[in-house]
Amino acid sequence: MIFFTGISNISHASKVDYSFISINRLIGKRKRKSDFEAKTWIMDSGAFSQVSTYGDHHLTAGEYAEEINRWSRCGILVRAVAQDYMCEDFILDKLGRTVEEHQKMTINNYVQLELIRERKEIDVPIMPVLQGYEPEEYAKHVQDYGSSLKQNAWVGVGSICKRNSNPESVIDVLKAILEIRPDLRLHGFGIKKTCLQDSAIRDRLFSADSMAWSFKSPKKEDPKEAIKYRNRILNMPVQSNFL
């Protein structure tokens, strides 16, 4: 499994081998203008903070594509995460929407970005995102994507970061997805040590990311703490709790 370290201070991206950086860090109130050094990284669409606060993404698909192009010259940008919509109950209640609506909106945004990429306007591959809350909802979302999910696609699994204290629920979601499409390479957003130490989760993930190191570390601005956390994740003993 490849572990991407969540980075909030852009100057630290060059210190870790694999970093996960939100577009919010690049286009926020203090919009960044200069390039930054990085190794291998994924650009996140900033969906959670944007949708939970404003109900939608700040950028249109075309504007997001422009940002992807802009920052793709920094390090090795291997994927840009599609602009998805979370399906946790508190989000849906706040916005007055349903799981089905957010799933459709997620697919529509991915399709728009793929059309832009097919026109050669961006070179970076887009990471589609599977959404839902119950395992069967994720399974249906896989089916709704249809042929848009290419063979062996690298796919993000959304709305699971709040379930780190309940690894079994994460396993159920991953199983439901892979039962339909065992070829998919799954990325777990915001997966912490509690889940990653379980082989039933770890073995089903191709990659994962987390910023948990910065929440618990008294030295949030020290990239050495990020490196230590990543090493602990990669080297910790794996248990078989739920198979």
Side-chain angles (χ1 to χ4, degrees), residues 3-239:
F3 183 76
F4 288 80
T5 305
I7 295 293
S8 59
N9 188 329
I10 302 299
S11 65
H12 295 163
S14 62
K15 305 296 193 303
V16 297
D17 292 334
Y18 298 92
S19 56
F20 191 83
I21 303 173
S22 171
I23 187 66
N24 295 334
R25 303 296 176 185
L26 303 171
I27 63 166
K29 293 180 179 179
R30 298 181 179 179
K31 182 176 174 65
R32 188 180 182 92
K33 299 186 183 305
S34 59
D35 289 355
F36 61 92
E37 293 184 18
K39 296 181 181 178
T40 301
W41 66 292
I42 291 175
M43 177 189 288
D44 183 50
S45 68
F48 189 86
S49 60
Q50 293 182 28
V51 175
S52 61
T53 304
Y54 305 105
D56 212 335
H57 291 269
H58 291 324
L59 305 175
T60 64
E63 291 168 339
Y64 185 45
E66 290 177 4
E67 295 295 333
I68 294 170
N69 268 343
R70 163 66 185 91
W71 301 109
S72 64
R73 65 192 189 206
C74 301
I76 303 171
L77 179 54
V78 290
R79 287 293 187 280
V81 179
Q83 296 168 296
D84 62 310
Y85 293 82
M86 310 81 67
C87 292
E88 289 95 337
D89 286 342
F90 77 95
I91 292 290
L92 298 175
D93 291 344
K94 177 181 179 179
L95 301 177
R97 296 176 187 157
T98 65
V99 168
E100 291 79 7
E101 287 173 324
H102 270 200
Q103 287 177 325
K104 288 178 182 178
M105 294 164 74
T106 295
I107 292 177
N108 288 341
N109 276 359
Y110 172 68
V111 169
Q112 287 185 58
L113 285 168
E114 276 296 289
L115 289 173
I116 293 171
R117 198 169 77 87
E118 288 173 7
R119 295 198 299 266
K120 309 296 183 182
E121 295 177 29
I122 49 176
D123 295 326
V124 178
I126 305 300
M127 178 184 285
V129 180
L130 293 169
Q131 280 291 356
Y133 199 77
E134 300 299 333
E136 57 270 21
E137 292 170 341
Y138 285 91
K140 181 180 182 299
H141 205 206
V142 173
Q143 296 170 327
D144 290 344
Y145 266 97
S147 60
S148 295
L149 288 183
K150 304 296 191 293
Q151 190 74 14
N152 300 315
W154 192 1
V155 180
V157 182
S159 299
I160 58 173
C161 66
K162 302 295 185 184
R163 307 190 207 187
N164 278 288
S165 61
N166 185 7
E168 191 168 9
S169 69
V170 176
I171 294 168
D172 289 342
V173 168
L174 300 181
K175 281 182 177 179
I177 294 169
L178 293 174
E179 281 177 5
I180 297 176
R181 289 288 303 272
D183 60 293
L184 297 179
R185 298 178 296 164
L186 303 184
H187 177 90
F189 295 118
I191 299 294
K192 299 178 183 178
K193 186 171 68 172
T194 307
C195 283
L196 292 180
Q197 67 186 0
D198 193 294
S199 62
I201 293 176
R202 193 160 177 150
D203 292 348
R204 288 177 170 85
L205 290 176
F206 176 76
S207 59
D209 71 83
S210 176
M211 283 195 67
W213 70 273
S214 68
F215 302 145
K216 294 184 178 181
S217 171
K219 301 178 180 178
K220 292 185 178 182
E221 297 305 313
D222 186 351
K224 292 179 182 178
E225 295 299 314
I227 296 171
K228 287 179 183 178
Y229 183 82
R230 180 177 184 272
N231 289 339
R232 284 198 297 272
I233 291 293
L234 295 179
N235 297 320
M236 67 184 177
V238 179
Q239 304 169 355

